[in-house]
Amino acid sequence: MASVPSLAATLHQCLAEALSASVPQETPADWLDPMLRRSDRADFQANGMLALSKRLKSNPRELAGTVVESIPANEEIASVEVSGPGFLNIVVSDAAVLRNLAARSDDERLGVPYAESPGVTVIDYSQPNVAKEMHVGHLRSTVIGDAVTKILEHRGETVVRRHHIGDWGTQFGMLIQYLIEHPHELDHASDTGDGRDEGEAAMARLNRLYKDSRSLFDSDEEFKARARDRVVALQAGDEETRRLWHKIVDESKTYFQAVYEDLDVEILDKDIVGESAYNDDLQQVVKDLESSGVAVRSEGALCVFFDDVKGPDGTPTPLIVQKSNGGFGYAATDLAAIRDRVGKLQADTILYVVDARQALHFRMVFETARRAGWLPEGAARQLAFGTVLGKDGKPFKTREGESVRLVDLLDEAKQRAAVVVREKAQDLTEEEIQERAAQVGIGAVKYADLSNSMTRDYVFDLDRMVSLQGDTSVYLQYAYARVRSIFRRAGELRPQVHPMLALEPAERALALHLDEFGDTLTAVAENYEPHKLAAYLYELATLFGPFYENCPVLKADSQQAAENRLFLCDLTARTLREGMTLLGIRTPERL
């Protein structure tokens, strides 16, 4: 079904045409913006006449009056009046509101439009490191990346996920050499547990391997020399070295998958493309950059210099593509990845969901790729995110000053959520309580992250996150469950639209907000701002409260009013579920 224009979009077009008819023909088209927005004085307010009259050197109130006279007869506007110095206060008809919502309800996408020109977006997020535990620092990249991916796919974009895991470098010589000398270190026990058990066991083996190999590397110079030789063998493709490297990587993937399942994020094996995937391309990257003059040799290293990037002493700070000893750093791998994503994957846009502290690195990488002709102007963007803080306002750490393990954080969230669910549970079994606790706890963690602008730091406070009060996912989930409970008590009553019925104020407020869902999602997708979807959903749940309290559904004055209100309940539930699904959050039918 075709998308459903919002009432705001319809009114905007109507007013723009009236503006055009009210001014001289030579008036530039980009001046004719009615500047329509929601208002607490009417349903909508348009104040574009003030800016336009200033340009035309005319009286804004007189221009507003002329615009009103130029508005053609229509079924959307119930009243329009000139206010103040030249504002237009517009009230739409109840019938128009209900007709628009009926059209949304008839569409499985709730009338949300697809992108006019969808393209191919490669999104790089999560980025855990092989043989290391995922910590709270991986939370934001994973949750934001997953939500942005879902939102873009919903819009019709072709999205290619890329999890650029750290699976290459000098530490693997150390790990592999130790594994050669201790061949049973990664042997599997006879695990019969679930994915979480296997993941925990995999991580325990990796932790043991890493700690023991690091201890030996630091204390035994002969082992250190053998480990460095093993790096050369790995890079050269030695068969036994590569076999053991694969064993370490596969063990890590088992662990990663368990964490992702816990976080309720789908990661497919084909999406995991580590640094190693670009190893064979690095020499060509160096050759092309040097031959084109984009990069130059400086003290033996291959560097790219920028006029506006300097160190504290004022000397230029370069992007080092190849070290003086011939080794490669992150820049070379990132440049090879860009060439692959634009050249082979045909990406129109590449998004990097990466900590804001790496902004300078990515700015230099993008500019280098642009100079080399590998990256079209503006095709790559870092979705930079802030830091997760503790209640003390400092980066979130354990009491010992270590990074908080992600699995521990998720476990605690589910435990806190279980307390809330058990307090509210009336007829849930213990198994159902634990299932809901997982949905509520993980949802709470995700929503706390996504409801903040990604560039901002935020405080990780589980007590607030799992609260039924305030801007939390639990509040939204409870609103959804409350709507669904109405339907369990509705008997034979079914949702149905009756456009000729007058709407109560709480009904109008809820209905007009429901009509904004498509416009909200379009803006969220275009600007990569999931926090604005979270804000929309919170306001929707908040508006449902007065509606629920003041507009009886099952005990309405007439069957038509009951059916109308049940229709609003149904569309509210569907909109909440759709929006929260795009944020990666579950909506339990009962809480």
Side-chain angles (χ1 to χ4, degrees), residues 193-202 258-259 261-262 405-408 410-411 414:
D194 58 16
R196 175 68 180 272
D197 293 336
E198 292 178 5
E200 290 284 358
V259 178
E261 288 178 4
D262 218 13
R405 296 197 322 158
L406 187 51
V407 291
D408 292 341
L410 299 180
D411 281 345
K414 288 184 284 187

Side-chain angles (χ1 to χ4, degrees), residues 74-246:
N74 62 79
E75 297 181 345
E76 284 78 25
I77 297 177
S79 68
V80 55
E81 64 176 17
V82 179
S83 176
F87 301 109
L88 295 184
N89 287 334
I90 304 163
V91 176
V92 295
S93 69
D94 290 346
V97 175
L98 288 170
R99 281 196 301 269
N100 237 46
L101 294 189
R104 292 193 180 283
S105 180
D106 288 342
D107 178 26
E108 62 180 14
R109 290 175 54 82
L110 303 178
V112 177
Y114 285 104
E116 291 184 4
S117 301
V120 177
T121 297
V122 174
I123 181 166
D124 187 330
Y125 64 103
S126 196
Q127 307 115 356
N129 291 309
V130 165
K132 293 184 179 180
E133 288 189 286
M134 293 177 70
H135 53 76
V136 69
H138 293 106
L139 174 66
R140 299 213 71 182
S141 180
T142 305
V143 169
I144 293 169
D146 184 57
V148 171
T149 296
K150 285 179 165 66
I151 290 165
L152 292 179
E153 287 180 332
H154 183 267
R155 193 167 185 247
E157 288 278 316
T158 298
V159 181
V160 181
R161 298 163 173 81
R162 279 294 177 264
H163 301 288
H164 193 80
I165 64 172
D167 65 348
W168 204 247
T170 55
Q171 68 171 336
F172 289 95
M174 175 187 78
L175 292 167
I176 294 168
Q177 186 61 34
Y178 187 86
L179 197 55
I180 285 174
E181 298 175 13
H182 302 78
H184 302 297
E185 188 68 25
L186 288 184
D187 284 354
H188 286 256
S190 55
D191 294 325
T192 58
D194 58 16
R196 175 68 180 272
D197 293 336
E198 292 178 5
E200 290 284 358
M203 197 65 247
R205 290 188 290 269
L206 288 168
N207 268 338
R208 186 170 61 249
L209 170 65
Y210 187 86
K211 290 178 180 178
D212 291 347
S213 63
R214 169 56 70 180
S215 177
L216 191 58
F217 185 86
D218 291 339
S219 62
D220 187 331
E221 290 298 322
E222 292 184 358
F223 176 79
K224 181 181 292 187
R226 294 196 299 273
R228 286 173 174 166
D229 290 341
R230 187 60 55 185
V231 175
V232 177
L234 175 64
Q235 294 173 339
D238 175 73
E239 184 175 344
E240 176 64 7
T241 303
R242 285 292 180 95
R243 183 186 69 80
L244 293 172
W245 172 77
H246 277 296

